[in-house]
Amino acid sequence: MGTALSTNSQNHLSTPQADLGAVKARQQGAWSSGDYAIVGTTLQLVGEQLCEAIDLRAGSEVLDVAAGNGNASLAATRRWCRVTSTDYVPALLERGRERAAAERLDIRFQQADAEALPFADASFDAVLSTFGVMFTPDQDRAAAEMIRVCRPGGHIGLANWTPDGFIGQLFKTIGAHLPPPAGVKSPALWGTEARIQEMFGPDAATIQVTRRSFAFRYRSAAHWLEVFRTYYGPVLKAFAALEPAAQAALEADLVALIGRFNRSGDATMVAPSDYLEIVVTRR
């Protein structure tokens, strides 16, 4: 998870090493604010599609990393897998527990840092993350942890926003008003095949990448802005950090962004956002 997403942040890689601990603390604060579950629950379809892409089998041991409110966790459990759902934000795990209880699904929830997973090597048949692990400050360490806890022959399944899609451009827009920390790699890199190959290729038997699109459907552009400004931590924090005039400028740019992507043709909002669906088979 994270606070700003911009392909421009790649330009900062020559600067001194960032304080990733401090960045992580700020990110945790951002994702703990608002109520991400309000937005997260709308993305359930992505978790279902990812489980199908991996071809999950009943009885598999599955780990959901940076699970948020549990979209992939619920999807895997519906397929009779034994699931451990992890996140570093306790409130989001609680939202996942509520959803699991409502559906009478047996899921283990555990607070955990994606960069230091508290599990033994080769503990899981499948390791999943939907729009979660991509926001870790130390990308290589997070990828290495997912590889470590996945058994040989198992699968790592990811859904990551692309740099050029709606959400990628959302964070780029925020970054233009509130620049991301220098020295931190852009989370958008997880939405590129080159970076996925770089992080997972040496330990992969195969890597399958499919470009997909998720449509954000809201009553209007104003409705989307209200929901994200109130509940989506990174947007909430961005507005809170700006003076009123700067807030108005950010709002105008976000409305313009929606106008670029909205294909509804009426007063509602239907904004497709591209993401990469990735299935890594562990060597």
Side-chain angles (χ1 to χ4, degrees):
M1 298 180 174
T3 56
L5 182 101
S6 169
T7 53
N8 292 334
S9 64
Q10 297 173 48
N11 298 329
H12 298 303
L13 298 185
S14 61
T15 61
Q17 178 70 33
D19 184 347
L20 297 183
V23 172
K24 184 185 297 185
R26 290 195 296 271
Q27 289 179 338
Q28 189 171 14
W31 291 106
S32 299
S33 65
D35 187 352
Y36 173 75
I38 300 295
V39 174
T41 193
T42 68
L43 300 167
Q44 181 61 44
L45 177 64
V46 176
E48 301 290 344
Q49 289 178 325
L50 184 60
C51 287
E52 287 302 301
I54 287 181
D55 193 20
L56 275 180
R57 304 303 170 88
S60 296
E61 293 286 347
V62 177
L63 175 66
D64 191 1
V65 178
N69 62 318
N71 287 338
S73 301
L74 270 67
T77 308
R78 292 183 184 123
R79 289 159 176 79
W80 308 103
C81 297
R82 294 187 292 271
V83 177
T84 302
S85 185
T86 64
D87 202 283
Y88 69 173
V89 178
L92 289 177
L93 293 175
E94 185 56 35
R95 287 287 186 262
R97 287 190 187 94
E98 292 169 357
R99 298 176 75 192
E103 295 193 31
R104 298 184 180 181
L105 297 176
D106 185 13
I107 300 175
R108 177 190 178 196
F109 292 90
Q110 182 171 343
Q111 186 173 350
D113 183 345
E115 296 174 4
L117 295 171
F119 307 107
D121 296 356
S123 295
F124 298 94
D125 301 303
V127 182
L128 312 177
S129 188
T130 57
F131 313 128
V133 72
M134 67 178 289
F135 292 107
T136 52
D138 192 336
Q139 298 183 1
D140 293 293
R141 184 173 176 181
E145 280 293 272
M146 296 185 84
I147 293 165
R148 180 184 65 78
V149 300
C150 183
R151 68 166 176 79
H155 297 98
I156 298 168
L158 303 167
N160 300 328
W161 300 118
T162 63
D164 56 344
F166 175 64
I167 294 298
Q169 291 298 299
L170 164 66
F171 281 96
K172 183 177 182 180
T173 301
I174 292 173
H177 291 260
L178 201 67
V184 178
K185 290 177 180 173
S186 167
L189 292 172
W190 285 78
T192 65
E193 292 190 49
R195 182 62 173 142
I196 292 299
Q197 182 64 41
E198 185 177 40
M199 291 190 292
F200 294 95
D203 296 283
T206 62
I207 299 178
Q208 297 176 333
V209 178
T210 304
R211 192 177 181 99
R212 294 193 181 276
S213 183
F214 174 84
F216 284 87
R217 298 176 183 272
Y218 285 77
R219 300 185 189 109
S220 64
H223 177 226
W224 177 92
L225 187 59
E226 176 189 2
V227 170
F228 270 64
R229 188 170 177 171
T230 304
Y231 298 111
Y232 191 68
V235 176
L236 183 160
K237 287 291 190 180
F239 274 100
L242 298 173
E243 296 297 325
Q247 290 182 11
L250 174 57
E251 180 173 338
D253 283 351
L254 292 180
V255 171
L257 175 67
I258 294 168
R260 283 172 45 202
F261 282 87
N262 191 8
R263 60 168 176 80
S264 70
D266 55 30
T268 68
M269 173 180 160
V270 181
S273 185
D274 285 0
Y275 69 94
L276 293 190
E277 178 186 84
I278 301 145
V279 177
V280 178
T281 301
R282 174 82 158 83
R283 193 179 57 203

